[in-house]
Amino acid sequence: MARLQALLLGSYGVSRVLGQTWCGKDYTVGSPIIPPGGEFPAPATSTEPLLALRCAPAIKPYLEEDALTPAAIIVDSPITYQQISGASPITLPSNSLLGDLLVTVTANGKFLTTGVVPLNASKVELPFSLVGLQTQKQAYDVSCSATYSPPGGAKQTFEAGTALSYLPNPETGSVTKMDLRSGSLLAKPANNPSGPYGPVFPLGFYTNWGGYLDTNYNLSFIDDIAARGYTIVHPVPDYDNLTQFSLVVDRMAEVGLYLMYDMRWDYQNATAVTEQVNMFKNRSNLLLWYTGDEPDGSGDPLNATLNAYDLIYELDGYHPVSLVLNCQDYHFTEYSSGADIVMQDTYPIGINATWSVEYHTECTPDYGCCGCDNCVGDFEDISNRMDEFRQRLEVLGWDRTKALWTVPQAFGNAQFWNRVPSGKEWVVESVLGINHGGLGVVPWNDPTTTDITNSATILAKALPTLEAFILSPSATYKQSTADRVDVGMWTVGTQTLVLATNLNYFNATLDLAALIPGSLGQVTEVFNSGATYSNGQIQLESVGTGGFMVGL
């Protein structure tokens, strides 16, 4: 969160005087009102059906050690009436039976696999063997060719492409894979480099280095973070004492915490990026890199994030790259192109969404800065932002290869924000992000209040149960909202995880029996921030949230 960070460092005025815009908007008194541009174009509609054929490897990257284990290409075949990336006209039969595609997959022209994929299907896996491929630094160029032969109709062909990463085993250090079936991260235990790969749900705060981690020489802060059940730490630079920073990262590894390495101040400097990647890429607990911190807000060069992404992959390639976007709609495509994981940091608690208390101007889609871009100041700002980002990734054809994370607000009483969220409000923010596709929760920032810390601990302690559903490649997912009660449901086998959060500041009731047809079976509480279950109904307190496992 660049704005508050700069304020805390005493440099906000200096950094903004140079630019005078945020999200492309002028915001000072007397400055001109000029539309910022950079809006994401709405896809044109089609009166005829289109096939948006997509394919991607199931895992990124595959390693040499995976050669004898099953590999797969995932194929999606949605029928759409929007002219999104890769969508081509398709002539469908007049009856209701859509039929199938015959898909053939090649890598650098070499046959990999073939198989039948139903039309309008998602996440169909076509298995193949890595044995016939050589590991290499450069990704394989994969082509997916589909043939559609409806009964009585002419044969139609479609094409899609992707990249397959198949790397040598690293000599040292960790590897973080992306499971593109679910968008989740796979890693070995941070404190056991010889252990098995498993899914990781990243939950941990942006954590101040200066004045916090750097002053805690007995490392008790790290021990406390691990005891609370967090899975990652995201230290906020500058790291002015590399010896001390190394000791902190060592201790994180010992207690099983992953590192989210932040190079926000240097990511546009190729020399600095090279030095930092080479310094930390072999760490056993490195989970991922972090480059642009609100590059859309500060108006970084449009190619900056992609340039950093390409350089990091040239130097490493074994860990994904992340960034956070602050603006509601400002050059989303350009900035998000430089990331595997796109985060959003919508902070709606305690703001005046229409009048800037910092700059004493109004806030509109074309002007002003109120701390939450184009927001109205309620929880829905978060879910709307998550949905908008997800929809844009779908339009761009990136929804299978990029994941979304959420950055809940854990601060206040500064600048645009007149108060700190309560612990229960923080949980609403977090679960709302999860319910709308977030596969990681990284709040800004620690140290925070005791109330938020205790609530974050409750959520973290529930993670082993939650992630077994949320990160499962076989999960089917549904989301619904009624009367400002937001519900996410993940079904694996005969069990369903239900996360329900009340966005109202009064009690609410959720009829669970109406959401899940048939007998509910056993209902077990797995997470409680102001929720109880009885006789088919979940009672939610004001801004209450609950997690329940339903079924056998």
Side-chain angles (χ1 to χ4, degrees), residues 336-532:
S336 61
S337 67
D340 302 297
I341 294 155
V342 180
M343 307 163 71
Q344 63 79 27
D345 59 355
T346 307
Y347 303 136
I349 305 297
I351 65 165
N352 185 328
T354 59
W355 180 259
S356 177
V357 297
E358 181 76 11
Y359 299 111
H360 312 294
T361 65
E362 65 178 346
C363 288
T364 72
D366 295 332
Y367 182 71
C369 181
C370 282
C372 192
D373 188 48
N374 294 341
C375 294
V376 299
D378 59 26
F379 290 118
E380 283 88 350
D381 290 326
I382 298 169
S383 52
N384 289 340
R385 190 71 54 88
M386 293 292 293
D387 290 346
E388 288 167 351
F389 279 19
R390 176 179 48 80
Q391 290 161 7
R392 291 172 193 168
L393 292 180
E394 291 175 356
V395 170
L396 293 166
W398 296 346
D399 50 315
R400 180 65 64 193
T401 54
K402 296 182 187 290
L404 290 177
W405 292 7
T406 189
V407 181
Q409 178 183 343
F411 69 94
N413 293 327
Q415 207 176 2
F416 305 101
W417 303 273
N418 63 28
R419 68 180 182 89
V420 181
S422 68
K424 288 173 65 178
E425 288 176 317
W426 180 89
V427 172
V428 172
E429 294 181 276
S430 301
V431 171
L432 196 57
I434 294 170
N435 282 355
H436 289 261
L439 298 175
V441 176
V442 190
W444 180 276
N445 66 326
D446 200 15
T448 185
T449 64
T450 300
D451 193 18
I452 288 178
T453 299
N454 291 339
S455 290
T457 302
I458 294 171
L459 180 59
K461 295 290 188 181
L463 276 183
T465 299
L466 303 183
E467 68 182 17
F469 290 83
I470 297 170
L471 304 184
S472 171
S474 63
T476 56
Y477 167 72
K478 294 181 180 179
Q479 186 276 328
S480 66
T481 306
D483 300 323
R484 302 192 75 213
V485 173
D486 195 277
V487 183
M489 295 177 288
W490 295 261
T491 299
V492 178
T494 60
Q495 292 186 313
T496 298
L497 170 68
V498 177
L499 288 183
T501 188
N502 181 14
L503 281 57
N504 300 290
Y505 287 89
F506 51 80
N507 294 351
T509 300
L510 175 67
D511 189 348
L512 186 59
L515 280 178
I516 301 178
S519 174
L520 292 176
Q522 183 175 349
V523 178
T524 305
E525 177 187 291
V526 296
F527 169 67
N528 189 346
S529 177
T532 57

Side-chain angles (χ1 to χ4, degrees), residues 204-221:
F205 287 67
Y206 289 81
T207 305
N208 290 353
W209 174 253
Y212 189 60
L213 287 178
D214 68 339
T215 61
N216 184 237
Y217 289 98
N218 63 8
L219 303 177
S220 63
F221 289 170

Side-chain angles (χ1 to χ4, degrees), residues 94-264:
S94 56
N95 58 37
S96 59
L97 300 176
L98 293 178
D100 300 316
L101 300 167
L102 178 62
V103 179
T104 300
V105 182
T106 60
N108 288 6
K110 176 183 175 63
F111 173 82
L112 279 189
T113 185
T114 188
V116 174
V117 175
L119 268 181
N120 213 27
S122 176
K123 211 162 51 179
V124 177
E125 295 187 38
L126 300 183
F128 73 95
S129 174
L130 292 164
V131 170
L133 299 177
Q134 297 294 319
T135 59
Q136 59 184 45
K137 186 174 183 178
Q138 184 177 3
Y140 282 87
D141 183 15
V142 171
S143 174
C144 301
S145 301
T147 301
Y148 181 51
S149 302
K155 181 172 72 173
Q156 304 166 61
T157 59
F158 304 88
E159 297 285 336
T162 189
L164 170 66
S165 181
Y166 184 36
L167 299 176
N169 300 331
E171 295 180 3
T172 59
S174 65
V175 178
T176 301
K177 302 180 180 184
M178 291 187 70
D179 186 338
L180 300 185
R181 298 169 297 179
S182 63
S184 66
L185 302 184
L186 301 172
K188 294 183 177 182
N191 56 358
N192 182 13
S194 62
Y197 284 95
V200 178
F201 191 103
L203 190 157
F205 287 67
Y206 289 81
T207 305
N208 290 353
W209 174 253
Y212 189 60
L213 287 178
D214 68 339
T215 61
N216 184 237
Y217 289 98
N218 63 8
L219 303 177
S220 63
F221 289 170
I222 297 299
D223 295 349
D224 180 66
I225 288 169
R228 292 185 180 278
Y230 303 167
T231 55
I232 66 168
V233 180
H234 181 147
V236 178
D238 287 333
Y239 312 132
D240 54 354
N241 184 332
L242 288 180
T243 299
Q244 180 63 11
F245 186 77
S246 181
L247 292 174
V248 167
V249 176
D250 287 345
R251 185 58 182 164
M252 287 168 52
E254 291 171 1
V255 297
L257 288 167
Y258 294 102
L259 170 66
M260 187 171 181
Y261 185 83
D262 188 327
M263 59 182 77
R264 67 179 67 194

